Amino acid sequence: MTRALTMNDVLFAGIAVAAGLVAAFLLRMLLRWLGRHADRTQWRGDDVAVDALRMIAPWAALAGGAASAAAALPLTRTVQHNVNQTLTVLVIFAATLSVSRVVAGLVQSVTQARSGVAGSATIFMNITRILVLAIGFLVVLQTLGISIAPMLTALGVGGLAVALALQDTLANLFAGIHILASKTVQPGDYIRLSSGEEGYVEDINWRQTTVRALSNNLVVIPNGQLAKTNMTNFMRPEQELTILVQAGVSYDSDLEQVEQVTREVVTEVMTEITGALPEHEPAVRFHTFGDSRIGFTVILGVGEFSDQYRIKHEFIKRLHRRYREEGIRIPSPARTVALQQGSVVFPQQRGTEPEPGDMTASRPV
C-alpha cells in the first residue's frame, strides 16, 4: 500500500524533471560547441561521435529526470515498473539510433579514406544500419520480457519463403556486394556497358547502380544485370589513358615534315589544354596507303575519359591551322567513275507514259 501524495513529493518530482530539462539543454549546447570544433579537424570520426551523442545525450538526461521524478512520487510497484520499462525502452531506442549512425558514419569514413573501396556506395551503410536496428529491436523485446527464441525460429522458417519470394531483390543485393568486393566497379569510375550505356558511377546501393551520363542524365542499372554484362571500366587499372586520332595527308607531302609538325602540335596541346598529360611523349604512326591519302594515327594522353573530347577538339583545330600554314594538304576523298558508251536512262514520273517517238526517256552519251 502506498502513502498519500504530499507537496514535498510534487516538489521533488518537479525539481527532478527540471533538472533533466536543464541537463538536456546544457548537453545540447555543449555538443553543438564540440561539433563546431570537430568540423575543423580532418578526421571524420569525431564528427560522427559528436553527431551521435547529440541525439542520445539529451534523451538520456530527460529519461534520467523522469525516472528520478517517478521514484520521488508514491507510485505503486506496478506503475513504477511500467514507467521504468517505458523509459528504458526510450533510452534503448535512442541509443540504437545513435549507434547505427556512429557505425554507418565510421564505415563511410573508412571507405572514403581507403582507395579501391566504395567511397559513396550506400550498400554497406544500409546493411550496417539494418543490423544495428535489428539488434536494438531484439534488446527492446528482451527488456520487455518477451522471449525472442520463438521469434528467431519463426524468422528462420519464414526466411526461406521470403527468400523465394524476393529472388530478384536478393540477387541484386548479393550482386552489388560482389561488385564492390571484387573492386571491378567503384563510385566515380567511368564505365561503358556492352548494351551502350555509359557514364560515371554515382552510387551502388542494395538494388541498383546509378550511372550519370555525360548529358547529366541518370541511368539506373540493376546490380544483377551489371554483374552479368560485358563492361569496360575506363578508370581501372589507372585513370590516365591514351586516345587515337586518325588523320591523313596527300601523297606529295613530305612525311618527315608532316611528322615533325604534328609532334609540335601534340606537344603544344599536351602543355596548354586542361586535362592533357604534359609528360606525354608525342607519337605519330603512319600505317596506310589509302586511295587518296597516306593515313596515320596520332596518340594523345588524357587525364580521364571525359577530357578526350575537349583535347580532340583543340588538337584538330590547331593541327588543321598549322597544316594550312605549312602548306600540307589534307585531300578530300575522290572517286573516279568510268561510263561506257550507251544510254543513260532517267527515271520517269509515276503516271506518265512516253509518247511515241519521244527520245527524252533515253539520251546517248
Side-chain angles (χ1 to χ4, degrees):
M1 184 174 181
T2 60
R3 59 184 176 82
L5 180 66
T6 63
M7 288 300 297
N8 289 334
D9 297 332
V10 176
L11 180 62
F12 290 150
I15 292 175
V17 173
L21 290 173
V22 172
F25 176 76
L26 293 178
L27 285 173
R28 187 172 182 84
M29 297 298 296
L30 176 62
L31 291 172
R32 183 176 297 179
W33 177 79
L34 290 176
R36 288 196 297 268
H37 284 273
D39 292 337
R40 301 173 185 173
T41 62
Q42 297 181 352
W43 185 50
R44 180 171 165 75
D46 52 359
D47 299 313
V48 175
V50 171
D51 188 41
L53 290 175
R54 192 179 298 175
M55 172 181 292
I56 188 175
W59 283 103
L62 291 174
S68 301
L73 295 175
L75 302 177
T76 62
R77 186 173 300 178
T78 303
V79 175
Q80 185 75 33
H81 176 71
N82 292 336
V83 171
N84 291 335
Q85 269 198 336
T86 303
L87 294 176
T88 303
V89 168
L90 289 177
V91 172
I92 293 175
F93 180 72
T96 302
L97 292 179
S98 300
V99 171
S100 67
R101 295 179 66 174
V102 169
V103 176
L106 292 177
V107 169
Q108 185 180 19
S109 300
V110 171
T111 55
Q112 286 180 343
R114 297 180 60 186
S115 60
V117 183
S120 63
T122 58
I123 184 171
F124 293 133
M125 297 174 59
N126 291 335
I127 292 176
T128 302
R129 287 195 182 102
I130 291 173
L131 290 177
V132 173
L133 292 176
I135 294 174
F137 178 71
L138 295 178
V139 172
V140 168
L141 293 180
Q142 193 70 28
T143 303
L144 295 176
I146 301 174
S147 178
I148 62 175
M151 181 177 296
L152 294 177
T153 303
L155 289 176
V157 175
L160 179 60
V162 173
L164 293 176
L166 301 177
Q167 292 185 49
D168 294 339
T169 302
L170 294 177
N172 289 325
L173 172 62
F174 288 110
I177 296 175
H178 170 71
I179 290 172
L180 293 174
S182 62
K183 301 180 183 180
T184 55
V185 179
Q186 302 293 331
D189 291 352
Y190 192 96
I191 63 172
R192 177 185 294 163
L193 305 184
S194 58
S195 54
E197 296 89 352
E198 63 178 86
Y200 289 97
V201 178
E202 290 287 310
D203 191 21
I204 303 176
N205 58 30
W206 61 275
R207 182 182 179 275
Q208 62 201 17
T209 298
T210 305
V211 176
R212 178 174 55 84
L214 293 179
S215 59
N216 214 27
N217 297 323
L218 294 180
V219 181
V220 179
I221 306 170
N223 293 333
Q225 178 181 346
L226 183 65
K228 293 186 296 185
T229 188
N230 295 330
M231 175 186 59
T232 303
N233 192 334
F234 292 95
M235 297 293 190
R236 299 184 184 276
E238 59 184 15
Q239 185 174 345
E240 298 177 354
L241 68 155
T242 57
I243 58 175
L244 308 180
V245 179
Q246 304 298 330
V249 294
S250 62
Y251 275 92
D252 57 358
S253 301
D254 183 354
L255 297 187
E256 294 293 338
Q257 180 190 13
V258 170
E259 183 176 4
Q260 179 63 31
V261 171
T262 306
R263 284 176 174 271
E264 293 175 0
V265 175
V266 172
T267 302
E268 178 184 337
V269 171
M270 293 294 101
T271 305
E272 299 179 3
I273 304 303
T274 303
L277 302 179
E279 66 277 7
H280 173 75
E281 182 180 357
V284 180
R285 299 292 182 265
F286 295 97
H287 56 73
T288 305
F289 287 101
D291 294 337
S292 59
R293 65 178 66 191
I294 297 177
F296 61 92
T297 300
V298 182
I299 304 175
L300 306 176
V302 298
E304 63 172 281
F305 184 83
S306 60
D307 293 332
Q308 63 174 308
Y309 303 104
R310 178 176 59 257
I311 295 173
K312 282 183 179 180
H313 170 77
E314 289 295 331
F315 172 72
I316 291 175
K317 285 198 310 180
R318 299 188 184 199
L319 185 66
H320 181 263
R321 181 174 64 248
R322 186 67 185 277
Y323 278 4
R324 294 184 63 180
E325 294 173 356
E326 299 291 338
I328 300 174
R329 191 169 63 89
I330 304 177
S332 57
R335 295 291 184 270
T336 302
V337 180
L339 298 179
Q340 297 181 352
Q341 185 176 4
S343 304
V344 178
V345 179
F346 294 91
Q348 302 175 8
Q349 295 183 357
R350 184 175 299 177
T352 60
E353 295 292 339
E355 297 294 336
D358 188 1
M359 301 302 294
T360 58
S362 61
R363 297 179 182 176
V365 178

